[in-house]
């Protein structure tokens, strides 16, 4: 198609989800992405795994993506937070009749399901291995010249290219950003004892060590690992032998998962923070990492992006019902108000946790353990944390409640 309601630049997890969600509501979109599907959908492309919180997972069900995921996900029924292996912990558990806190998916499986959903949608024109050569936004709409030689038109431009979004930068939207003195080592391993659908977040002065449950395979029980190390140690950790890494991981876990084996391929990336002061402009909206990038300490990265999708879709659907131009400034102002406070609070919380648990010393450790125990004994406060973890805090869009708009 040469004309659509929405032009989405970026077809990753969030961009593809937006296209599929718009399609479910009868809104047309053109998704433009420079990536080669044969590369990004290959098994070895991305060894990471993502915890999809229960509310964003309901959105995936409502727009038909979950059907493509089948039983590939591993439910998270409990989250245990601790300060090292010392006494003092915080447990988030769900009852048997309650939805899981989240579901773990390997990124390669999640990416394929979202890509195929967007590709199969009749109101989505997915253009891979393509880039926008130029984009113009004016009172009449959005016009983009693409590298495939075509010119496309839309009412609204959505930037979904990730943390280095050229769309955001071209719009001169200011961004607060900084780098942490940390890098994440992403891997996984098999273990002797079952994880029992528990996700573990173990905080050490050098950074958190997260164990995330995955489905068993033919080799037995397994978990994904996000291992935060000092930035200057990351290159060395990538060179340590498999035996050495597993031995160090054994120390981190204290052996509660039994013997560790079969280390998965390792990857590393630096950790940083960024937050756009505004996520809209004239006929422009930002979603996902184009708008905000946070520390993986709470596993909320892609979930915040899916919450953007749910809110933007609801704003656009209601605007269409009222007969408004989908690039109307009123609609953009509503999206801005809806998402700004939530994303700012999540960003502030993750940054604060990173700094709090990074404080060295026995006194700081005692204070942290006291705080964890205190929250564990306060049902109302604990419920508030669980609502945030599920993606159910604040004004929840209908897609996150499991229904279309």
């Amino acid at each position: 198609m040469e004309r659509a309601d929405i032009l989405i630049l970026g077809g990753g997890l969030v961009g593809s989800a937006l296209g599929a969600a718009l399609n479910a509501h009868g809104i047309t979109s053109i998704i433009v992405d420079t990536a080669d599907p044969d590369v990004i959908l290959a098994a070895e492309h991305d060894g990471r795994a993502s915890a999809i919180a229960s509310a964003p997972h309901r959105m995936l069900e409502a727009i038909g993506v979950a059907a493509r995921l089948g039983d590939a996900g591993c439910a998270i029924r409990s989250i245990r937070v601790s300060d090292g292996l010392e006494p003092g912990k915080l447990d988030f558990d769900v009852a048997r009749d309650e939805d899981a806190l989240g579901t773990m998916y390997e990124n390669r499986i999640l990416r394929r399901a979202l890509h195929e959903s967007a590709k199969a949608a009749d109101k989505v024109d997915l253009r891979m291995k393509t880039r926008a050569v130029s984009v113009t936004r004016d009172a009449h709409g959005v016009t983009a010249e693409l590298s495939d030689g075509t010119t496309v038109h839309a009412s609204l431009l959505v930037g979904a290219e990730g943390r280095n979004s050229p769309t955001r930068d071209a719009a001169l939207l200011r961004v607060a950003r900084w780098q942490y003195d940390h890098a994440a080592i992403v891997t996984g391993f098999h273990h002797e004892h079952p994880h029992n659908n528990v996700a573990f977040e173990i905080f050490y002065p050098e950074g958190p060590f997260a164990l995330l449950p995955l489905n068993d395979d033919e080799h037995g029980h397994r978990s994904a690992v996000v291992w935060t190390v000092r930035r200057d140690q990351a290159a060395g950790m990538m060179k340590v032998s498999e035996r050495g890494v597993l031995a160090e991981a054994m120390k981190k876990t204290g052996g509660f998962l039994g013997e560790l084996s079969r280390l998965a391929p390792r990857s590393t990336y630096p950790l940083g923070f960024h937050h756009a002061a505004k996520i809209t402009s004239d006929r422009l909206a930002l979603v996902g990492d184009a708008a905000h990038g946070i520390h993986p300490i709470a596993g909320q990265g892609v979930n915040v992006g899916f919450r953007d999708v749910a809110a933007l879709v609801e704003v656009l659907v209601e605007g269409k019902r009222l007969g408004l131009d989908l690039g109307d400034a009123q609609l953009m102002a509503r999206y801005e108000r809806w998402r700004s406070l939530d994303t700012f609070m999540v960003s502030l919380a993750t940054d604060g946790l990173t700094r709090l648990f990074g404080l060295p010393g026995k006194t700081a450790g005692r204070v942290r353990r006291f705080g964890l125990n205190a929250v564990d004994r306060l049902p109302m406060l604990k419920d508030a944390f669980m609502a945030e973890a599920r993606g159910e805090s604040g004004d929840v869009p209908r897609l996150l409640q499991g229904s279309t708009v």
Side-chain angles (χ1 to χ4, degrees), residues 53 57 59-61 77 87 91 116 120 135 175 188 356 386:
H57 198 274
M59 180 184 78
L60 298 184
E61 292 171 350
R77 305 290 304 175
D91 288 329
E116 290 179 349
V135 181
V175 180
L356 173 64
M386 287 183 71

Side-chain angles (χ1 to χ4, degrees), residues 25-26 53 158 182 226 301 316 356 362:
H25 293 84
V158 176
H182 289 127
V226 181
L316 294 176
L356 173 64
K362 293 182 178 179

